[in-house]
Amino acid sequence: MVKRWPKSTFCIIANEFCERFSFVGMRTVLTLYVINILSFDDSKATILFHSFIVLCYTTPLLGSIIADSYIGKFWYLDIVGLVIIGIGTGGIKPCVCAFGGDQFNQNHLRMISIFFSVFYFSVNAGSMISSLVTPLLRTVPCNGLDSCYPMAFGIPAGLMVLATLVFVSGSIFYKKFPPKENIFLRVCQTIGRALRNKITSKESRSHWLEHSLDTHNCETDQHCIAYRQSKKFLTEKCAEKRFVEDVKSLIRVIIVLLPVPFFWSLYDQQGSRWIIQAVAMNSKITDSFTLLPDQVITCNSVLVLIFIPFFQTCVYPVFEKCGIKTTPLRRLVAGGLLGAASFVICGFVQLAVNETLPDVPGANTAFISVINTYTDCNITVRAPGLSEKFILSNSVSFIYSLH
């Protein structure tokens, strides 16, 4: 079946693999770079990291509007994707997946389903390899330092260039549909019109969104005219009524997905607080293998690649045989609960880590820790007002002597 796929889809999948490698690679080492090279403290590094993530995941909204309404998916992927990673992600994320689906005929449902499975696999494969390899590049000595962040950022950047070249190379094979109207704006207009009409109208409707039809004239509306001319309708000849039904479905989906932003706000802490936590932990797995702090993210991609087929072939069928329907909504709820539990566990781990950290002195105090591993050498520290915990004020001087 893969042999019958449009040739353009292979360029799209290869592009997504390289893009994921690039994005995840830079994202993986960003926190430690900000702390170790730019000398930011943990809190400021976390703020900077999540500001970058916010930029990456809010610009797709703008990107999808521009792509669908004005210049088309292909050109937006090509042009904006080259600007900067943060804004470029906004050009790639909302378009590349849908653009891949556009390459198939609508009746090739089986092919489309397999394509999205392969597409998602390439996303996680690129993420897994990048999160494993990029931290290793960071540890290579270069430029007189014991780390090489230029290489850690440079190779993912090169993969981003390669992703763009691969994507552009398939240009002659792509099905490029012209941009349509601004759907986002039309949805907002429909909701706004419905609210205004509901306030002023005395007519009762089964759903408040249907009030948007109070002032609608199907005979003169351009959408309805074009819809009737296309002869794609089955029973309902009013395009606006169909659109209102679509908006109803959209609102129901939004309500279901309201908790999802909270999940992702926790999930992306893997790239910030989890890495900072891992720095303070013993990451030695075996005598010959030590997991780097920024390689912790690799576990996520590995488990995704393992659990997707495992759940599809083993877990869900077992539940079905036991009479428990594993609907998408139930899976979503179960995943959310497990995600919440994981962060509760992470919180307890941090409490245990805190027990191993040194006491941080308060304002205008100093903390001195002396570790003596010599059995035949004594260290004496003398200072006025020195307490048992070696806490000194800034005005106190001390003298130490070896015996």
Side-chain angles (χ1 to χ4, degrees):
M1 181 173 292
V2 175
K3 293 181 179 179
R4 291 184 290 169
W5 282 13
K7 295 179 180 179
S8 56
T9 57
F10 296 100
C11 295
I12 293 173
I13 291 174
N15 164 80
E16 184 62 17
F17 175 86
C18 295
E19 186 274 332
R20 282 291 88 188
F21 188 104
S22 174
F23 175 74
V24 173
M26 286 185 276
R27 176 180 179 272
T28 299
V29 298
L30 178 60
T31 298
L32 292 183
Y33 171 77
V34 171
I35 293 174
N36 297 334
I37 304 301
L38 301 185
S39 301
F40 281 40
D41 60 34
D42 293 353
S43 298
K44 290 181 180 178
T46 301
I47 293 172
L48 182 62
F49 173 85
H50 288 287
S51 298
F52 170 71
I53 296 299
V54 167
L55 178 65
C56 289
Y57 286 94
T58 53
T59 50
L61 179 61
L62 176 62
S64 61
I65 294 173
I66 296 175
D68 285 338
S69 307
Y70 301 106
I71 63 176
K73 299 183 184 72
F74 173 77
W75 288 111
Y76 197 77
L77 282 165
D78 189 18
I79 298 172
V80 181
L82 287 173
V83 181
I84 58 175
I85 295 299
I87 297 178
T89 299
I92 295 170
K93 285 185 181 297
C95 301
V96 66
C97 186
F99 188 66
D102 287 344
Q103 307 308 305
F104 295 89
N105 295 329
Q106 293 184 357
N107 58 334
H108 292 165
L109 299 180
R110 177 63 176 168
M111 286 187 183
I112 294 174
S113 177
I114 295 176
F115 165 77
F116 283 118
S117 296
V118 174
F119 181 88
Y120 190 59
F121 181 88
S122 69
V123 168
N124 285 281
S127 301
M128 180 189 68
I129 297 173
S130 178
S131 59
L132 182 65
V133 173
T134 308
L136 295 176
L137 299 176
R138 172 184 63 81
T139 61
V140 176
C142 70
N143 299 327
L145 301 174
D146 59 356
S147 61
C148 195
Y149 284 96
M151 183 186 296
F153 285 113
I155 291 181
L159 264 293
M160 190 66 246
V161 175
L162 178 61
T164 305
L165 294 176
V166 169
F167 179 77
V168 173
S169 67
S171 177
I172 59 175
F173 303 109
Y174 294 141
K175 292 181 181 178
K176 304 171 189 176
F177 296 98
K180 301 178 181 179
E181 64 176 326
N182 191 329
I183 296 297
F184 179 79
L185 178 60
R186 187 180 174 189
V187 169
C188 293
Q189 290 174 339
T190 300
I191 294 175
R193 185 167 58 250
L195 292 174
R196 288 194 304 269
N197 292 344
K198 179 177 174 59
I199 295 173
T200 58
S201 176
K202 297 181 180 180
E203 184 180 356
S204 177
R205 295 273 191 174
S206 60
H207 193 282
W208 64 270
L209 268 174
E210 294 178 1
H211 282 285
S212 65
L213 300 172
D214 292 350
T215 55
H216 172 68
N217 188 337
C218 193
E219 298 299 325
T220 59
D221 185 84
Q222 295 299 318
H223 295 104
C224 292
I225 294 174
Y227 183 60
R228 288 194 297 270
Q229 290 176 349
S230 67
K231 297 181 180 180
K232 293 181 179 180
F233 55 85
L234 296 176
T235 56
E236 180 56 64
K237 297 183 179 181
C238 179
E240 191 63 25
K241 287 184 179 180
R242 288 178 57 88
F243 188 76
V244 168
E245 293 300 319
D246 291 339
V247 177
K248 288 181 184 179
S249 300
L250 172 64
I251 292 177
R252 287 193 292 268
V253 172
I254 290 175
I255 293 174
V256 171
L257 297 181
L258 279 178
V260 173
F262 297 98
F263 167 79
W264 285 108
S265 65
L266 293 174
Y267 175 88
D268 276 312
Q269 290 189 33
Q270 292 181 88
S272 57
R273 303 308 300 188
W274 281 33
I275 290 178
I276 295 172
Q277 183 187 74
V279 171
M281 299 174 68
N282 182 4
S283 57
K284 188 175 183 179
I285 307 301
T286 65
D287 293 337
S288 59
F289 176 69
T290 299
L291 188 69
L292 297 174
D294 38 359
Q295 286 180 325
V296 172
I297 306 176
T298 308
C299 300
N300 174 71
S301 299
V302 172
L303 292 176
V304 167
L305 294 176
I306 293 174
F307 283 154
I308 286 179
F310 176 71
F311 271 72
Q312 292 290 344
T313 58
C314 299
V315 176
Y316 295 145
V318 170
F319 277 103
E320 294 289 342
K321 289 182 179 179
C322 295
I324 302 175
K325 297 292 184 181
T326 56
T327 62
L329 185 58
R330 289 182 176 180
R331 297 179 189 181
L332 184 65
V333 172
L337 293 175
L338 290 174
S342 69
F343 278 89
V344 172
I345 295 172
C346 185
F348 282 108
V349 171
Q350 185 61 47
L351 291 176
V353 170
N354 291 344
E355 295 295 327
T356 66
L357 299 178
D359 295 331
V360 179
N364 299 320
T365 60
F367 183 89
I368 298 178
S369 178
V370 179
I371 301 175
N372 181 16
T373 60
Y374 288 100
T375 57
D376 56 349
C377 180
N378 297 324
I379 297 178
T380 302
V381 179
R382 300 188 185 94
L386 185 64
S387 70
E388 294 180 356
K389 292 186 177 180
F390 297 93
I391 299 179
L392 304 172
S393 66
N394 288 342
S395 60
V396 176
S397 61
F398 68 93
I399 302 173
Y400 69 90
S401 60
L402 296 177
H403 299 285

